[in-house]
Amino acid sequence: MDEMEEIEIVIVGGGICGLATALALHRKGIKSVVLEKSETLRSTGAGITIRTNGWCALHQLGVASNLRLTALPIQGGIDICLANGQQQEISIEMGEIRCLRRSELITSLAESLPPGTIHLGCQVLSITVDPLSSYSIIQLQNGRSIKAKVLIGCDGANSVVADFLGLKPLKFFSLSEVRGYTEYPSGHDFKNEYNQVRGDHSMIGRIPIDNKLVYWFVTHKANPKDVVAKDPELLQQLTLETIKGFPTEMLDMVKHSDRDSLSLARLRYHAPWDILQESFRKGTVTVAGDAMHVMGPFLAQGGSAALEDAIILARCLAQKRHEIDIKTNGSQVIAHKIGEALDKYVKERRMRLVRLSTQTYLTGLLIKKPPLLVRFVCNILMTVLFSDPTAHSHYGCGRL
Ligand SMILES: Cc1cc2nc3c(=O)[nH]c(=O)nc-3n(C[C@H](O)[C@H](O)[C@H](O)COP(=O)(O)OP(=O)(O)OC[C@H]3O[C@@H](n4cnc5c(N)ncnc54)[C@H](O)[C@@H]3O)c2cc1C
């Protein structure tokens, strides 16, 4: 049998959260290894809106300045109701909103990591605990086993690490979303603003990335056809059917979109009431990003919240590192101290995530046009709990 490898910190998943966590640790002088199951780093979903709080985290990671060069600042928003043609301004935060190409964000994080940090083609199958050391033992699909002092699950919504922690199953919104890019080779003349058009059962949103590229999404009631819509051409056709009767400008945008950029996602969430009580730490194992708090895209905060996780988790581990003496402390003592650092991280994140996921959840419910009574209750809760609807983006993750 192969000897088991020992690695100090293992991060499962090389998405936004896993890479950001590895980079945050690296900035604090702490080595880690990222295990990514795919053979390449993936950037499914075309664009990603990063709000003020996300930019604060990117700044701490040292990648904000370069990323800013790739995307225009969004300066406002317009909402149009198709039924009555009414237009209204959408209040956006005083701060910074830009829509990035996901590939740009992933590349920027990955390229800032020391060589050898990311291990591609490494799918984690299961996790157990070594009773002697209290560290975790990770079983990979390729037959390798790794013993890790710290294990951080950034493996997204279908997280193996979340299963190990015993987190509650995800719930489904009755909504799906198609996302894509459209390139305007000689430039588009849209303003630097977010535009959305709401129909009876669907909604389209458009955000310029730069002067030639726009990111768009169509949110619609989940549909049995969603299952077969993996083929980009079919997905494009179905999306055009979904937004029949919408303004020509929007229809043309979808018609001329880059088919390779299209993707469809059934929207899921980790219920706010579960986030309030989950045990996000077992031994020296924890989770971050979608593995911890997948939420609907209605506030465009999932990715920014994942970046916040990365900063706070790295900070908590770095603070504890000074209390650990590898030469004199036994593994049980080290595991205990790591556990304390992870508890601090979870404590710092929990209420932030409960608020964020509650606001996202209520916004999602309202988009679905629920019965009058439900709408009434949701509106009251929104007014009472979130009187400033953009306050979620004023959160600061603090210094790394
Ligand atoms: C339709 C839609 C629109 C969105 N729009 C926005 C937006 O505008 N702004 C925003 O901030 N957020 C948005 N989000 C949310 C955002 O995309 C996610 O919150 C973010 O991508 C989470 O990153 P992550 O790294 O936690 O997870 P993921 O991006 O899912 O990455 C997980 C990684 O782990 C790998 N992995 C999984 N299992 C294993 C395993 N067993 N072993 C090894 N590797 C594994 C996967 O291959 C993947 O690379 C949106 C989400 C959706 C669905």
Side-chain angles (χ1 to χ4, degrees), residues 94-111:
M94 297 287 290
E96 185 171 9
I97 308 185
R98 292 171 201 259
C99 184
L100 294 173
R101 293 170 183 84
R102 279 184 188 252
S103 55
E104 203 93 56
L105 176 56
I106 291 279
T107 307
S108 171
L109 294 168
E111 286 182 350

Side-chain angles (χ1 to χ4, degrees), residues 21-277:
T21 304
L23 182 55
L25 289 166
H26 170 62
R27 298 281 188 232
K28 299 299 282 181
I30 301 174
K31 266 190 179 170
S32 66
V33 161
V34 176
L35 304 177
E36 166 55 47
K37 71 175 176 187
S38 305
E39 294 297 337
T40 53
L41 293 176
R42 302 178 324 149
S43 48
T44 312
I48 183 163
T49 304
I50 300 292
R51 310 194 69 137
T52 310
N53 52 309
W55 284 102
C56 290
L58 290 173
H59 175 71
Q60 292 302 315
L61 292 171
V63 293
S65 319
N66 281 345
L67 285 171
R68 273 192 189 105
L69 302 176
T70 69
L72 295 165
I74 301 301
Q75 283 153 348
I78 299 286
D79 169 88
I80 300 173
C81 172
L82 204 58
N84 56 19
Q86 220 172 31
Q87 273 199 26
Q88 57 181 25
E89 272 188 32
I90 301 173
S91 60
I92 63 168
E93 67 257 29
M94 297 287 290
E96 185 171 9
I97 308 185
R98 292 171 201 259
C99 184
L100 294 173
R101 293 170 183 84
R102 279 184 188 252
S103 55
E104 203 93 56
L105 176 56
I106 291 279
T107 307
S108 171
L109 294 168
E111 286 182 350
S112 307
L113 286 168
T117 305
I118 305 168
H119 295 214
L120 297 170
C122 291
Q123 180 170 4
V124 171
L125 288 185
S126 63
I127 298 148
T128 49
V129 176
D130 173 18
L132 286 180
S133 62
S134 302
Y135 298 145
S136 44
I137 297 175
I138 304 160
Q139 191 62 53
L140 303 190
Q141 198 192 22
N142 59 16
R144 277 167 66 192
S145 328
I146 298 172
K147 188 193 273 188
K149 281 192 182 150
V150 182
L151 171 58
I152 304 168
C154 300
D155 46 344
N158 302 314
S159 166
V160 176
V161 184
D163 287 347
F164 167 78
L165 294 177
L167 302 191
K168 299 257 169 37
L170 300 182
K171 299 186 169 48
F172 285 89
F173 286 104
S174 55
L175 296 167
S176 297
E177 194 164 293
V178 180
R179 294 171 281 174
Y181 290 136
T182 303
E183 172 108 42
Y184 296 78
S186 33
H188 59 72
D189 48 12
F190 306 132
K191 289 188 185 153
N192 289 5
E193 62 184 21
Y194 166 62
N195 273 250
Q196 70 179 32
V197 181
R198 283 178 295 117
D200 276 345
H201 301 293
S202 55
M203 183 179 105
I204 186 163
R206 180 190 72 206
I207 314 181
I209 292 183
D210 58 29
N211 292 326
K212 292 190 173 171
L213 190 69
V214 299
Y215 164 68
W216 57 262
F217 60 85
V218 172
T219 312
H220 59 89
K221 278 210 163 137
N223 180 326
K225 285 184 191 163
D226 288 350
V227 182
V228 289
K230 296 284 175 216
D231 166 47
E233 200 176 335
L234 180 60
L235 188 52
Q236 191 178 37
Q237 268 172 25
L238 290 173
T239 309
L240 283 166
E241 270 173 41
T242 306
I243 55 167
K244 224 180 200 164
F246 276 56
T248 319
E249 190 180 75
M250 293 293 191
L251 292 168
D252 282 348
M253 177 177 71
V254 174
K255 207 155 138 193
H256 296 113
S257 56
D258 168 6
R259 285 194 188 140
D260 289 341
S261 72
L262 301 186
S263 66
L264 170 88
R266 177 75 197 272
L267 303 182
R268 292 177 288 178
Y269 64 100
H270 201 139
W273 49 94
D274 288 337
I275 294 180
L276 189 61
Q277 3 172 13

